[in-house]
Structure formats: C-alpha cells, structure tokens
C-alpha cells in the first residue's frame, strides 16, 4: 500500500535560515507524483511544489525546492531564507496510483514549522 | 483566479442534528473531494466525486454522505452529528484525467464543533 511518512511533528528555524522538512514515501509504482502543500493558521491548503517520478531535475519554485532522492524514496522540502510568513503546517502528498483519473492524493501527517525572529 | 469556497468557516451544532457542509468551485473541475483533518492524523479522505451524481467512498465514510447534483457543487452531509465528528473539514477539486501533476485546489475549510 502507498504511504507518506513525515517524521517531524514540529520544527523551529531562525528567520533567514534554510530549513528542510522530511518526507519519505512508499509505493510499488514506477510512475508517481509528489506534492507539498502549506497550511497557514487560516486553514486553507496552498499548493507549493510538484515532483514527478521521471523528472530528472529537482523541482524548484522560488524559495522552495524539492530534494528528490528516488532510491531512498524521499522527497524533502527545502525552504531557503525563511520568513516569518513561512510559519505554517506543511503536508507532503502522493498521487494515489489506484485512483486513476480521479487524482486522489494520499497525505502525510504534516510538520508544523515555526519561524523565529 | 481559481476558487473553491465553503459555506461556513466555523459551525457549531448539537449532537443528533443533520449538518450540511457546502463546497463550490468555479474551475469546471470534474473531481471534488471532502477531507477531515485532525491533529496528528493529517488529511483523511471521506468521499470523492468524479462527475455529477457520481460518488465514491474514501477512507473514512462512516457517518457521512455526499451529494453532487451540479458539477460545481459538492455537499457533505452528517446525518446525525456526533461529538467525534468535531473536526476541520476541507473541500478540494481537481481536473479529471491521468495527469500526474494535477494538483488539488482547496477551500478555506470549515471548523465544525459538535456539542
């Protein structure tokens, strides 16, 4: 069965420093997609970044990058130059291979990031 | 700008009441989803729909039902609310198709308290 594991329930980082949020996944499929979402205290889930299993390059979106290590089945999110507004819950997710065209996602339990001034 | 809206941000209901949570999207998406979010458990899928009047159970459908009479609207129904249904409920939508990169777009969530 597919599974997403986020082992860090909470993390602190100093403003302007980089931080890595861990995500490991388990799947038997060769073709899969990985996502990261941010959830501020307001509650809305915001899509951050996507990595496809066949993508040769690590995905980047502004200050967000994804450290994709396929052999280790890890897809860690790296936030560079942290800002106070980065304080939020972060979820790693994987497209459910049994969901077909319904594009269901399987989510991890999340990591709560607190950026300190 | 893509948008998913939910009828209420906060809702307080009594045990045994019938509760309706409404979700509307304006992106013409075929797929719509209802999740509940609880601390330490992440997001768990309750029900989803890939077309009007089509629905499928997710991982935790017990105690819930859904309705999709129009493409843009997906309703979650708690037939008889119980205290263990106190939670954050999130609605999402996405395109239908085999695109690996098709992300889900989320609404702002509804914090439901059942007393």
């Amino acid at each position: 069965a597919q599974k997403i594991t986020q082992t860090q329930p909470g993390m602190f980082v100093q403003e302007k420093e980089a931080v890595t949020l861990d995500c490991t996944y388990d799947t038997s499929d060769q073709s899969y997609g990985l996502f990261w979402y941010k959830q501020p205290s307001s509650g809305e889930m915001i899509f951050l970044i996507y990595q496809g299993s066949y993508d040769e390059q690590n995905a980047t979106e502004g200050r967000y990058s994804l450290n994709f290590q396929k052999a280790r089945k890890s897809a860690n999110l790296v936030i560079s130059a942290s800002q106070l507004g980065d304080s939020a819950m972060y979820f790693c997710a994987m497209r459910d291979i049994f969901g077909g065209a319904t594009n269901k996602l399987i989510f991890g339990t999340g990591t709560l990031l607190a950026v300190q001034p | 700008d893509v948008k998913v809206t939910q009828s209420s941000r906060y809702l307080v209901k009594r045990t045994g009441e019938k509760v309706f949570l409404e979700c509307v999207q304006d992106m013409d998406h075929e797929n719509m989803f209802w999740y509940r979010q609880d601390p330490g458990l992440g997001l768990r899928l309750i029900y989803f729909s890939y077309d009007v009047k089509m629905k499928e159970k997710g991982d935790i459908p017990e105690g819930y039902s859904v309705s999709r009479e129009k493409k843009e609207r997906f309703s979650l129904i708690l037939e008889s609310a119980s205290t263990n249904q106190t939670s954050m409920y999130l609605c999402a939508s996405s395109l239908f198709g085999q695109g690996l990169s098709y992300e889900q777009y989320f609404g702002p969530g509804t914090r439901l308290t059942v007393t």
Side-chain angles (χ1 to χ4, degrees):
Chain A
Q2 289 179 285
K3 190 176 180 182
I4 293 281
T5 301
Q6 294 180 257
T7 57
Q8 306 154 313
M11 289 190 70
F12 291 98
V13 65
Q14 291 294 124
E15 196 176 6
K16 299 180 184 174
E17 291 187 353
V19 62
T20 297
L21 307 184
D22 293 341
C23 173
T24 58
Y25 59 91
D26 191 16
T27 181
S28 57
D29 205 16
Q30 296 302 310
S31 178
Y32 50 88
L34 296 156
F35 302 79
W36 276 93
Y37 283 84
K38 172 185 179 181
Q39 186 183 41
S41 57
S42 58
E44 185 168 352
M45 298 275 283
I46 302 165
F47 167 71
L48 293 178
I49 197 166
Y50 165 80
Q51 179 82 46
S53 58
Y54 292 120
D55 293 343
E56 295 185 356
Q57 307 269 359
N58 284 346
T60 60
E61 289 287 347
R63 294 186 299 111
Y64 303 108
S65 61
L66 206 151
N67 183 1
F68 182 48
Q69 298 188 39
K70 199 169 179 178
R72 294 188 173 185
K73 293 189 174 179
S74 75
N76 298 338
L77 178 71
V78 180
I79 306 174
S80 63
S82 297
Q83 301 172 355
L84 295 178
D86 293 333
S87 295
M89 182 72 87
Y90 289 82
F91 289 96
C92 180
M94 169 187 287
R95 187 171 179 272
D96 183 347
I97 61 171
F98 299 107
T102 63
N103 296 311
K104 289 195 297 176
L105 294 178
I106 297 167
F107 287 85
T109 52
T111 295
L112 183 61
L113 178 67
V115 180
Q116 296 178 319
Chain B
D1 194 21
V2 297
K3 207 139 178 102
V4 180
T5 57
Q6 295 182 229
S7 50
S8 306
R9 294 299 304 271
Y10 300 92
L11 208 52
V12 180
K13 294 292 181 180
R14 293 199 176 273
T15 302
E17 277 193 84
K18 191 168 186 175
V19 182
F20 293 88
L21 303 183
E22 303 283 338
C23 175
V24 178
Q25 51 95 3
D26 65 359
M27 295 165 281
D28 203 34
H29 283 166
E30 295 85 0
N31 296 330
M32 295 188 76
F33 308 84
W34 275 108
Y35 296 91
R36 68 175 280 175
Q37 181 184 358
D38 301 288
L41 297 178
L43 275 70
R44 293 180 292 167
L45 183 63
I46 304 172
Y47 268 97
F48 67 99
S49 167
Y50 53 88
D51 200 353
V52 174
K53 298 192 186 294
M54 305 304 289
K55 60 186 179 184
E56 287 199 23
K57 293 179 181 179
D59 300 316
I60 51 165
E62 296 79 19
Y64 304 93
S65 62
V66 290
S67 171
R68 192 160 180 206
E69 297 296 320
K70 293 185 177 182
K71 188 176 185 180
E72 67 270 18
R73 187 180 298 269
F74 192 34
S75 303
L76 179 70
I77 304 156
L78 286 64
E79 296 289 342
S80 177
S82 64
T83 54
N84 63 13
Q85 292 178 310
T86 292
S87 187
M88 171 73 140
Y89 290 88
L90 291 161
C91 175
S93 72
S94 80
L95 288 168
F96 182 89
Q98 295 286 356
L100 278 179
S101 64
Y102 290 167
E103 78 230 49
Q104 291 185 10
Y105 295 84
F106 282 82
T110 296
R111 291 193 182 274
L112 173 67
T113 302
V114 183
T115 61

